[in-house]
Amino acid sequence: MNTGMNAAQDTAGRADASAGAREYLTFRLGQEEYGIDILKVQEIRGYETPTRISGAPSFIKGVTNLRGTIVPIVDLRLRLGCAQAEYNSFTVVIVLNLRERVVGIVVDSVSDVLELLPAQMRPAPDVDSSIDPQCIRGLGAVGERMLILLDIERLMAGLDMGLVAESA
């Protein structure tokens, strides 16, 4: 009888410990590791050269037809002001579903999915960077790893992007 009670307490204890935890898909751009909310990720695909759109900003590589949906492909390195990298077999496109709009982002590689507890998240430092500070949710600390947690919806809704409408 006590065993059943202990199991219920253990389950409740684990639920309390993971309260507020969020899962992030982690990926790399150069030496930096980033994380985005896993709930925004629709799929991960190998990089295929998209169809270029004349006059589009350089960070928009073009569009691709994803099972009948035309998807803009954004090179996140160029969007964040990083040096351009050569695409290789590790280069992937993370297809995101953002406010009913599908957008692909090109990243150097995908690492894994991590669950972060609120205690593992820190506020972003107040420094000048090419990223709008409003687009950084904070920093995630997992052992020796430090993740830059992006608010990808806000980043894609920026004036220069306009791929996702700002919510009211």
Side-chain angles (χ1 to χ4, degrees):
M1 186 159 192
N2 246 355
T3 304
M5 185 72 119
N6 289 339
Q9 288 172 339
D10 283 349
T11 301
R14 275 186 253 134
D16 288 343
S18 65
R22 300 182 84 161
E23 288 187 325
Y24 292 88
L25 176 68
T26 64
F27 59 91
R28 295 189 87 67
L29 295 176
Q31 298 300 312
E32 289 80 37
E33 192 170 21
Y34 294 84
I36 55 176
D37 187 343
I38 192 71
L39 297 177
K40 308 292 182 201
V41 176
Q42 180 175 311
E43 65 183 89
I44 300 168
R45 305 171 52 90
Y47 180 78
E48 297 173 15
T49 304
T51 303
R52 181 89 181 127
I53 302 293
S54 178
S58 63
F59 55 81
I60 296 182
K61 303 306 287 180
V63 294
T64 192
N65 186 342
L66 182 64
R67 295 181 293 280
T69 301
I70 302 302
V71 178
I73 304 297
V74 175
D75 186 319
L76 202 55
R77 270 183 166 273
L78 297 178
R79 171 59 183 92
L80 298 179
C82 301
Q84 188 167 2
E86 294 294 320
Y87 296 161
N88 59 35
S89 61
F90 296 106
T91 304
V92 296
V93 174
I94 301 172
V95 179
L96 305 167
N97 198 336
L98 306 172
R99 296 185 192 146
E100 301 178 18
R101 179 84 194 256
V102 180
V103 176
I105 58 171
V106 180
V107 300
D108 293 351
S109 64
V110 171
S111 303
D112 52 13
V113 175
L114 291 176
E115 182 178 85
L116 293 177
L117 299 168
Q120 294 173 298
M121 295 186 228
R122 309 283 188 273
D126 190 20
V127 297
D128 285 336
S129 88
S130 61
I131 306 175
D132 178 353
Q134 299 288 322
C135 298
I136 300 176
R137 284 189 165 172
L139 301 175
V142 181
E144 296 297 315
R145 294 169 67 184
M146 185 66 69
L147 305 171
I148 301 168
L149 304 174
L150 294 176
D151 184 339
I152 198 70
E153 277 193 6
R154 188 173 291 240
L155 183 65
M156 294 297 155
L159 289 177
D160 57 340
M161 298 289 283
L163 295 174
V164 178
E166 285 276 6
S167 61

